[in-house]
Amino acid sequence: MGGVATPGEPAGPPPKNRLNQGLRDMVLSLIALLVIIAALLLFNKSCSFNPGGPAADTSSLPTVDVEQQFEQVAGTLDFPLRLPSVPGEWRANSSSTGPAAPASVVVRVGWLTPERYVQLSQSGADPADLVRAETENESPPTGSVEVDGTQWTVHPGRRAERAWTADLGDTSALITGTGTEEEFRTLARAVQTGRPVEED
């Protein structure tokens, strides 16, 4: 009784080693978890590991034909729209048109630079009105920069962004985004020398 074998009865199986069994179960569970993680990583190829956070694969993002978009709206505007010639590695991925109070519209296009993002807004509105419309910020300017003889006024942008605005005579231009100062200067030069877009 009580699990004690009597003489003549066969002995039962030896007791299991619970330590070995627990270790084996842990290893099997870990392997299963690694298989699931590997499957998820293969399924979602648009993200890559980055110690500073996830980085998007820009090749999977949409591309905008800026010239075509500009040609479609050029005839509806109260100002000449300039087509900037930007570096080949910049990818235009957004374009939109909206109001710029009190009496004009704003045409926007955004580019992904090799590591950051810049956006150009053009309008017939006064530069101060354009800044308010695009940044939703009424803080005073924080400085100015000169790019090939044109003065750009520096303003606080949205979140951690900054904004540059300039009166190009027939068009007000605003650059914003997370780009470096050199990328802002590159875009400023491009819009300053950009050709007016003809209506499609």
Side-chain angles (χ1 to χ4, degrees):
M1 305 255 332
V4 178
T6 58
E9 288 183 358
K16 294 181 179 178
N17 187 329
R18 292 185 181 275
L19 180 62
N20 288 342
Q21 186 177 9
L23 185 60
R24 187 193 62 179
D25 289 345
M26 265 198 309
V27 170
L28 291 175
S29 297
L30 184 59
I31 291 172
L33 186 61
L34 290 174
V35 169
I36 292 171
I37 291 172
L40 288 173
L41 289 174
L42 287 174
F43 179 74
N44 187 10
K45 287 185 178 179
S46 66
C47 287
S48 60
F49 175 74
N50 180 349
D57 178 5
T58 57
S59 64
S60 66
L61 297 174
T63 300
V64 171
D65 185 330
V66 177
E67 185 170 6
Q68 181 184 54
Q69 294 289 324
F70 280 12
E71 286 173 351
Q72 289 176 357
V73 300
T76 67
L77 304 174
D78 61 343
F79 61 94
L81 192 59
R82 299 179 180 215
L83 180 66
S85 178
V86 300
E89 64 269 22
W90 290 19
R91 177 192 291 267
N93 77 322
S94 66
S95 177
S96 64
T97 303
S104 188
V105 296
V106 57
V107 178
R108 309 174 192 90
V109 61
W111 289 270
L112 294 172
T113 64
E115 296 186 21
R116 306 195 183 205
Y117 176 80
V118 291
Q119 176 178 290
L120 171 66
S121 302
Q122 298 181 69
S123 178
D126 181 82
D129 292 332
L130 181 58
V131 170
R132 279 192 294 272
E134 294 298 275
T135 68
E136 299 176 354
N137 192 328
E138 303 215 15
S139 299
T142 59
S144 65
V145 293
E146 185 178 314
V147 180
D148 296 348
T150 298
Q151 200 75 16
W152 290 78
T153 304
V154 180
H155 300 265
R158 297 183 183 182
R159 299 175 294 277
E161 299 177 358
R162 65 182 180 278
W164 291 10
T165 186
D167 183 347
L168 302 180
D170 49 13
T171 302
S172 292
L174 182 138
I175 299 170
T176 188
T178 60
T180 64
E181 179 166 341
E182 188 52 44
E183 288 170 337
F184 270 51
R185 287 181 174 276
T186 297
L187 186 50
R189 289 188 194 98
V191 71
Q192 287 169 198
T193 58
R195 66 172 176 83
V197 177
E198 304 261 335
E199 181 181 355
D200 190 9

